[in-house]
């Protein structure tokens, strides 16, 4: 099953987004990671790498990210990871919910889950 | 390891220590710059990262230049907790591969070019985006040209590169940010000096000062402008910065 990692500058934001996405996620592995590792705001590649490993069961991992350094640090983590991981170019919360739903599809692949996450870019609310 | 390479490695460690000290001194300044247009974490993140990097470099048993750069880069990536981790640290790890045979004028040019390329790729930034690329690009281009075309001594080339970086930092002030946190401000980012370009300049200044010290000489008094008129047939620099005059000859 494709796993998901949510990366935010704020650990609490990442956990909150995972909480929202988990409602629709069935058995999907969802990992939240965020913060500078010292209680502050930021992102660290090693921690993101650990979250990718935890979310991977062999079918790959889609990584959702918030801003700037989260993208770059996730990029580094993906490069260094042994797992097959991709970053979704998507809004982090809406993308995570979409990806969680897509991952529960029995025919889901890494690409299909990433595409569904990225489909959240065009989501209209009003 | 040759004695020369061991001496170079020790000089690189001293440069890292000098950078850590300088960044700590400029911490409040960098934070002020970042408060105006970003998330106010640049001074703190860089100071923490470079302090840890200096400690890691000091603890190396037989520091050769490549190992020092790689260690510093990895430490920055682990400790910085922001975009500066992958940008400064990740690029350093990547570019350290060019120092396989130690520090020479040639390997230093390759190192500088790889570093710039990695920063551009990772940050998806180009000249004019109001980022550290605006300080790095003129520094790297000036260094490469000074070594490869003008055949200057490496220390003089580095001094010219530092002046070029300073001009690049000044260039970030009157332009609009298109990458990084400052880009969220749109036109309000105009009129502000980029923190990453500024810390890049500080790093280069400390590397220059340490290099001069290691060579037992003063920092050369030069600037980035070239007094000579380019020779149209003298296009010996390959890669970026194609010389239109040379193309016209064809």
């Amino acid at each position: 099953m494709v796993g998901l990692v949510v990366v935010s500058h704020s650990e609490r934001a990442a956990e909150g987004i995972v909480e929202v996405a988990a409602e629709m996620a069935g058995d999907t592995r969802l990992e939240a990671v965020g913060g500078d590792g010292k209680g502050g705001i930021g992102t660290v590649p090693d921690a993101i790498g650990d979250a990718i490993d935890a979310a991977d069961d062999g079918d790959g991992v889609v990584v959702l990210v918030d801003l700037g350094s989260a993208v770059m640090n996730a990029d580094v983590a993906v490069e260094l990871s042994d797992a097959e991981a991709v970053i979704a170019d998507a809004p982090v919360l809406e993308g995570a919910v979409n990806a969680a739903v897509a991952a529960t599809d029995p025919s889901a692949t890494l690409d299909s889950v990433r595409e569904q996450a990225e489909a959240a870019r065009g989501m209209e609310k009003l | 390891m040759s004695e020369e390479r061991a001496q170079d490695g020790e000089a690189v460690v001293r440069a890292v220590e000098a950078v850590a000290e300088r960044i700590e001194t400029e911490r409040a300044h960098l934070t002020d710059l970042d408060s105006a247009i970003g998330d106010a974490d640049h001074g703190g993140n860089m100071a923490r990262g470079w302090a840890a990097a200096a400690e890691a470099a000091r603890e190396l048993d037989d520091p050769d230049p490549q190992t020092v750069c790689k260690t510093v880069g990895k430490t920055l990536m682990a400790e910085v907790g922001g975009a500066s981790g992958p940008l400064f640290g990740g690029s350093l790890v990547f570019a350290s591969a060019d120092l396989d045979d130690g520090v020479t004028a040639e390997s230093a040019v390759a190192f500088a070019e790889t570093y710039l390329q990695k920063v551009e790729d990772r940050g998806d930034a180009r000249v004019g985006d109001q980022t550290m690329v605006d300080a790095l690009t003129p520094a790297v281009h000036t260094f490469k040209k000074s070594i490869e075309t003008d055949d200057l001594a490496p220390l003089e080339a580095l001094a010219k590169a530092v002046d070029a970086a300073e001009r690049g930092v000044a260039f970030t002030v009157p332009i609009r940010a298109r990458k990084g946190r400052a880009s969220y401000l749109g036109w309000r980012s105009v009129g502000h000096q980029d923190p990453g370009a500024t810390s890049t300049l500080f790093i280069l200044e400390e590397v220059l000062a340490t290099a001069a010290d290691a060579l037992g000489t003063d920092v050369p008094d030069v600037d980035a402008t070239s007094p000579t008129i380019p020779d149209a047939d003298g296009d010996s620099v390959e890669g970026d910065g194609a010389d239109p005059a040379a193309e016209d000859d064809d």
Side-chain angles (χ1 to χ4, degrees):
Chain A
M1 200 168 191
V2 176
L4 300 178
V5 169
V6 173
V7 185
S8 171
H9 276 64
S10 156
E11 191 176 5
R12 285 195 292 156
E15 284 168 358
I17 290 164
V18 162
E19 204 181 349
V20 174
E23 282 194 307
M24 316 278 285
D27 295 333
T28 309
R29 288 166 185 243
L30 274 164
E31 294 290 329
V33 58
D36 64 359
K38 293 165 182 69
I41 294 287
T43 55
V44 187
D46 286 356
I48 300 170
D50 291 345
I52 290 173
D53 290 343
D56 184 44
D57 69 359
D59 288 339
V61 176
V62 174
V63 184
L64 284 304
V65 292
D66 64 1
L67 310 170
S69 74
V71 187
M72 286 182 236
N73 279 321
D75 204 26
V76 172
V78 165
E79 265 177 30
L80 298 177
S81 176
D82 292 330
E84 203 185 338
V86 290
I87 300 173
D89 186 7
V92 60
L93 187 145
E94 290 85 343
V97 173
N98 268 15
V101 175
T104 59
D105 185 326
S107 63
T109 63
L110 190 60
D111 279 343
S112 74
V113 175
R114 181 178 52 92
E115 277 167 23
Q116 278 310 304
E118 291 180 350
R121 281 190 296 192
M123 212 182 244
E124 289 182 7
K125 296 183 186 176
L126 288 176
Chain B
M1 185 164 51
S2 73
E3 195 179 322
E4 192 184 342
R5 198 180 305 183
Q7 283 174 359
D8 286 351
E10 281 161 21
V12 179
V13 173
R14 287 202 298 280
V16 174
E17 289 175 325
V19 170
E21 230 170 87
R22 178 72 181 279
I23 297 288
E24 181 56 42
T25 307
E26 304 281 0
R27 184 188 188 128
H29 177 204
L30 291 172
T31 296
D32 284 349
L33 291 174
D34 199 23
S35 302
I37 49 167
D39 49 5
D41 66 357
H42 193 60
N45 280 350
M46 287 287 277
R48 187 175 64 229
W50 281 94
E55 202 182 319
R58 263 193 300 269
E59 283 171 3
L60 290 170
D61 283 338
D62 296 305
D64 65 279
Q66 183 176 41
T67 311
V68 178
C69 287
K70 201 183 265 182
T71 303
V72 167
K74 282 187 173 168
T75 309
L76 289 176
M77 279 208 286
E79 295 292 330
V80 164
S84 299
L87 289 172
F88 288 90
S91 308
L92 212 44
V93 170
F94 204 74
S96 70
D98 290 317
L99 302 181
D100 213 13
D101 293 323
V103 181
T104 61
E106 200 180 22
S107 73
V109 170
F111 174 89
E113 288 192 293
T114 304
Y115 184 97
L116 170 61
Q117 184 69 52
K118 198 67 187 172
V119 170
E120 285 184 339
D121 290 351
R122 187 76 77 194
D124 193 25
R126 300 290 173 267
V127 166
D129 287 342
Q130 199 191 63
T131 71
M132 63 181 73
V133 171
D134 295 331
L136 267 178
T137 304
V140 174
H141 286 190
T142 299
F143 186 64
K144 181 181 171 79
K145 189 251 185 182
S146 299
I147 296 282
E148 295 184 0
T149 303
D150 298 343
D151 213 13
L152 294 182
L155 190 69
E156 201 177 335
L158 185 57
K160 282 173 102 61
V162 168
D163 183 61
E166 200 172 336
R167 291 161 188 258
V169 170
F171 171 62
T172 66
V173 177
I175 60 172
R176 179 181 167 176
R178 298 204 181 271
K179 288 287 167 187
R181 282 296 174 94
S183 64
Y184 290 83
L185 295 175
W187 288 103
R188 283 191 291 147
S189 62
V190 176
H192 293 281
Q193 184 173 314
D194 180 65
T198 308
S199 53
T200 297
L201 171 64
F202 293 157
I203 291 167
L204 288 172
E205 283 178 346
E206 294 308 319
V207 170
L208 172 62
T210 308
D213 190 52
L215 294 168
T217 178
D218 291 331
V219 170
D221 184 19
V222 294
D223 74 34
T225 54
S226 179
T228 56
I229 295 166
D231 174 1
D233 296 325
D235 185 26
S236 61
V237 178
E238 290 172 8
D240 284 347
D243 178 6
E247 281 171 19
D248 286 346
D249 279 358
D250 293 336

